[in-house]
Amino acid sequence: MQATLSSATTASVPTLSADLPIGQIAVQWPGATAIFRRLKLDFCCGGQQSLRSAAAGKGLDAEAVLAEIAPLQRSNALPEATAPGALIDHILARYHEVHRAQLPELIRMARRVEAVHRAHPQVPAGLADLLEAMEAELLSHMQKEEQILFPMLRAGGAPFVVQPIGVMRSEHVEHGAALQKLAALTDDATPPADACNTWRALYAGIAQLGEDLVAHIHLENNVLFPQFEAAAAPGCACH
């Protein structure tokens, strides 16, 4: 499966700093919007002011806010270790936890954009519903991996491990189809020229979700699962 969603995260990204405009941070570090919303920092209409200035206006420590945003700078680099236990630990921390954090905020922003910009000709009508469906599917998928498949793999697998792996591979195909729908609905995560910062941040987050999900599926399909499928394959009877 190939990623079809474009992303600001693949372009040149400046060093995270309190002197950057708060709206730029919201767009270039998906997930920062949830932090800004909790702290009541206006990244949409007030997005031109620096984070330092916005934080000062609310009596907040800009460096403390930066410390909350810093973990959002995530790498898609594969782990050096390919042992099943290390791969599973990486998948859980880098992808499962991240997906669970990504989707609720994307759904919230999508509903906001659909409501505020409902008269705009490029409004992504139905986006929040699609994201909610993706969230339900992903949560179910990840729960099956965490409760059934991954413990089995940590224990060394079994001859019948190809069956749950096959189910996961099939669901990965469904996730890919959902990403294609997402790309079509959002013009490949490309906001219109007159989009507000919330709309831009929403699409940047969707692009990041797409990148993360593709990398997640690649790591399982092409690195983790084959180790057990090869061991469970019936041996040749010709001698």
Side-chain angles (χ1 to χ4, degrees), residues 10-87:
T10 59
S12 177
V13 176
T15 302
L16 181 61
S17 163
D19 296 318
L20 288 175
I22 190 171
Q24 182 179 0
I25 294 173
V27 170
Q28 293 189 313
W29 283 275
T33 57
I35 296 170
F36 293 154
R37 182 166 51 86
R38 175 170 52 80
L39 298 175
K40 300 187 182 333
L41 293 171
D42 181 10
F43 65 88
C44 195
C45 298
Q48 295 306 309
Q49 64 179 326
S50 69
L51 173 59
R52 192 178 307 281
S53 174
K58 292 289 185 179
L60 300 171
D61 181 349
E63 296 305 318
V65 179
L66 278 182
E68 288 195 57
I69 298 171
L72 299 175
Q73 302 176 93
R74 303 182 181 110
S75 170
N76 282 333
L78 293 177
E80 292 185 7
T82 57
L87 284 174

Side-chain angles (χ1 to χ4, degrees), residues 149 151-165 228-233:
L149 180 59
M152 189 182 300
L153 299 186
R154 286 187 190 276
F160 57 85
V161 76
V162 293
Q163 297 173 5
I165 287 177
F228 294 90
E229 290 168 324

Side-chain angles (χ1 to χ4, degrees), residues 54-198:
K58 292 289 185 179
L60 300 171
D61 181 349
E63 296 305 318
V65 179
L66 278 182
E68 288 195 57
I69 298 171
L72 299 175
Q73 302 176 93
R74 303 182 181 110
S75 170
N76 282 333
L78 293 177
E80 292 185 7
T82 57
L87 284 174
I88 289 170
D89 288 342
H90 176 75
I91 289 166
L92 292 174
R94 175 60 185 84
Y95 298 111
H96 284 210
E97 291 182 14
V98 171
H99 294 329
R100 287 188 171 103
Q102 286 170 320
L103 282 154
E105 179 66 6
L106 292 177
I107 292 166
R108 187 201 68 80
M109 285 197 291
R111 293 224 177 274
R112 178 70 175 168
V113 168
E114 287 184 67
V116 173
H117 301 285
R118 56 186 174 275
H120 195 289
Q122 291 176 265
V123 68
L127 177 58
D129 288 343
L130 174 58
L131 288 169
E132 281 191 340
M134 290 182 67
E135 180 185 38
E137 291 169 359
L138 269 172
L139 290 177
S140 172
H141 177 86
M142 294 188 297
Q143 185 177 45
K144 282 183 277 190
E145 288 186 332
E146 292 164 5
Q147 296 183 357
I148 300 171
L149 180 59
F150 286 172
M152 189 182 300
L153 299 186
R154 286 187 190 276
F160 57 85
V161 76
V162 293
Q163 297 173 5
I165 287 177
V167 172
M168 296 301 98
R169 284 188 179 276
S170 176
E171 292 185 2
H172 287 168
V173 173
E174 295 173 2
H175 298 330
L179 283 179
Q180 291 179 356
K181 293 179 182 177
L182 199 56
L185 189 56
T186 62
D187 191 21
D188 199 17
T190 304
D194 59 347
C196 67
N197 283 335
T198 298

